[in-house]
Amino acid sequence: MNGKTRAAVLAQSGGHAKPYAANAPLRFAELDLDAPGQGEVRVAIDAAGLCHSDLSVVNGDRVRPMPMALGHEGTGIVEALGPGVTGLEVGDRVVLVFLPSCGRCTPCLSGEGYLCEAGAAANGRGELIGGGFRLHECGTDVHHHLGVSCFATHVVVDQRSAVKVDRDIPAEVAAVFGCAVLTGVGAAINSAAIRAGETVVVFGLGGVGLAALMGAVASGAATVIGVDLAPNKVALAGELGAIGTTPDQLDAVMAQHLGGKADVVIETVGNARVLAGAYTAARRGGRVVTVGLPAPEARLDLQALSLVAEGKTLIGSYMGSAIPARDIPRYVAMWRAGRLPVDRLISSTHRLDDLNEMLDAMDRGEAIRQIIRF
Ligand code: NAD
Ligand code: ZN
């Protein structure tokens, strides 16, 4: 049975004047939603979070095919199953994930489904991994954002884009597991593989960076330093078992608390200049994990010699190097145990129609995770 969904649609990537509240790059429209196809499910969304990667599609840092229904961090209840769905039932709560894995390409066969070639190609085309579009407006196809498009009352997604979680998790908490937590905690636990007693610096304390900071604390790091421009985020780092600081004070804070450089540095700003600074904050033999997504034309300026002579490792981390069906339940269990207080990432809750104002708050660096409730 075909249906309808009310969704936030972007017509053009880049070229929108600020403030977004006045110029409204996102339009709220009733779209036609196909019935779930082979291996697909329809989900009634009840919470979705705004991530910087959504803002990057709006401001043109991440150019995507248009028109596109945005949103990639969300949760909801399964309400219909397409043919061939296994392991999900109507009524299940699912967390949506932003890269489905095919299980057959070389990265998938190497245990690196977070680099799936078919999933990345489908995301680049703005299609579901099964091919094509389930969203249409007056006969025109509307592209899917990262196979999810969850700034919408209802979505059709591939079953490989959905991870079942316990029904009792509050929707606004479940939502952040889909991107901020999967990405940030995974950067600390999977990509950096932080060992107990190590020292860690996290650059950028948005949803992703604060989740990385929580992951570092939960990994038993001896000292964790979080760096951001925004005083409220620096203060929150202090409440989460880390030391918060602004960039101008970082050298002094590192000298005082680390006596030098860090074992592990995690960059979550999405700026190549900040990444170059993060690289220099790692000790000889240190590991530098980069999570932020700079504009495609940005180039990284590093002293080439230092990689060898200082034995550093630079690690790119997409989706927290996660196996979502393995890692989301683990992170939920850590949240239940009080070791990942991810509810602290939620800075405000909103209605779908607030999205243009929410883009402004993220652009100004004020908000952490702003959550839409449906
Ligand atoms: P955000 O905007 O909420 O957070 C970025 C933070 O960086 C802000 O708090 C901002 O104040 C801070 N910042 C800006 N300039 C800084 C500087 N010079 N020094 C220190 N801090 C500075 O964004 P987010 O949603 O947390 O996402 C972070 C980045 O990660 C974005 O680039 C996003 O596109 C990317 N991302 C990557 C993945 C992945 O799989 N690798 C997944 C999600 C998001
Ligand atoms: Zn995201």
Side-chain angles (χ1 to χ4, degrees):
M1 189 191 72
N2 291 354
K4 299 275 185 194
T5 182
R6 191 173 141 73
V9 181
L10 184 70
Q12 176 188 316
S13 200
H16 301 285
K18 296 182 209 172
Y20 298 123
N23 290 297
L26 290 172
R27 180 172 59 86
F28 305 97
E30 187 169 271
L31 306 181
D32 296 316
L33 182 65
D34 291 347
Q38 181 73 29
E40 295 172 353
V41 295
R42 191 173 73 223
V43 179
I45 300 296
D46 53 10
L50 180 67
C51 169
H52 202 106
S53 302
D54 303 303
L55 175 60
S56 296
V57 179
V58 174
N59 69 22
D61 281 348
R62 282 298 271 160
V63 175
R64 298 275 179 193
M66 296 286 132
M68 178 172 273
L70 282 197
H72 66 278
E73 178 182 274
T75 183
I77 305 297
V78 175
E79 59 176 23
L81 305 177
V85 172
T86 52
L88 289 177
E89 315 250 1
V90 170
D92 284 345
R93 173 168 294 288
V94 288
V95 169
L96 302 176
V97 297
F98 58 89
L99 185 81
S101 53
C102 73
R104 290 193 291 269
C105 66
T106 302
C108 283
L109 294 174
S110 307
E112 296 163 346
Y114 46 90
L115 299 175
C116 174
E117 290 169 3
N123 282 359
R125 293 192 306 270
E127 299 182 14
L128 294 193
I129 190 170
F133 309 94
R134 311 295 172 268
L135 293 166
H136 319 276
E137 185 174 27
C138 304
T140 300
D141 294 331
V142 176
H143 294 81
H144 298 263
H145 188 199
L146 304 176
V148 174
S149 294
C150 62
F151 295 151
T153 55
H154 299 81
V155 301
V156 167
V157 298
D158 194 279
Q159 61 181 337
R160 293 166 287 186
S161 299
V163 174
K164 181 180 171 179
V165 297
D166 301 329
R167 271 299 298 245
D168 68 316
I169 305 171
E172 64 274 18
V173 176
V176 298
F177 281 91
C179 180
V181 175
L182 195 63
T183 302
V185 177
I189 291 182
N190 295 328
S191 314
I194 294 169
R195 293 182 284 268
E198 288 193 311
T199 57
V200 181
V201 177
V202 179
F203 283 78
L205 301 175
V208 174
L210 283 166
L213 180 146
M214 290 177 191
V217 170
S219 299
T223 308
V224 180
I225 297 173
V227 194
D228 202 290
L229 302 167
N232 60 322
K233 298 175 185 176
V234 169
L236 181 53
E239 294 172 25
L240 294 169
I243 299 160
T245 185
T246 47
D248 56 324
Q249 298 295 318
L250 179 61
D251 286 348
V253 169
M254 286 178 66
Q256 183 187 345
H257 293 277
L258 308 186
K261 300 195 174 195
D263 296 310
V264 172
V265 180
I266 303 176
E267 176 281 326
T268 72
V269 174
N271 175 312
R273 198 176 37 78
V274 174
L275 174 56
Y279 178 82
T280 64
R283 68 163 170 84
R284 294 167 66 81
R287 313 191 295 288
V288 182
V289 174
T290 176
V291 179
L293 293 162
E297 63 275 12
R299 290 289 176 272
L300 178 59
D301 188 13
L302 294 183
Q303 186 198 34
L305 171 67
S306 65
L307 269 171
V308 176
E310 298 179 26
K312 293 194 187 186
T313 307
L314 180 57
I315 303 165
S317 177
Y318 194 72
M319 202 169 69
S321 310
I323 311 294
R326 175 195 69 184
D327 292 348
I328 289 178
R330 282 186 183 170
Y331 302 159
V332 166
M334 291 171 75
W335 166 70
R336 285 194 196 282
R339 300 188 59 200
L340 275 183
V342 302
D343 31 307
R344 301 293 303 273
L345 300 176
I346 300 168
S347 51
S348 53
T349 54
H350 301 267
R351 312 305 301 174
L352 180 64
D353 297 64
D354 298 338
L355 257 172
N356 288 305
E357 287 84 349
M358 293 163 64
L359 290 170
D360 286 319
M362 170 155 274
D363 187 56
R364 288 193 298 264
E366 290 163 5
I368 306 175
R369 271 317 195 242
Q370 304 173 86
I371 305 288
I372 298 164
R373 289 303 314 267
F374 292 84

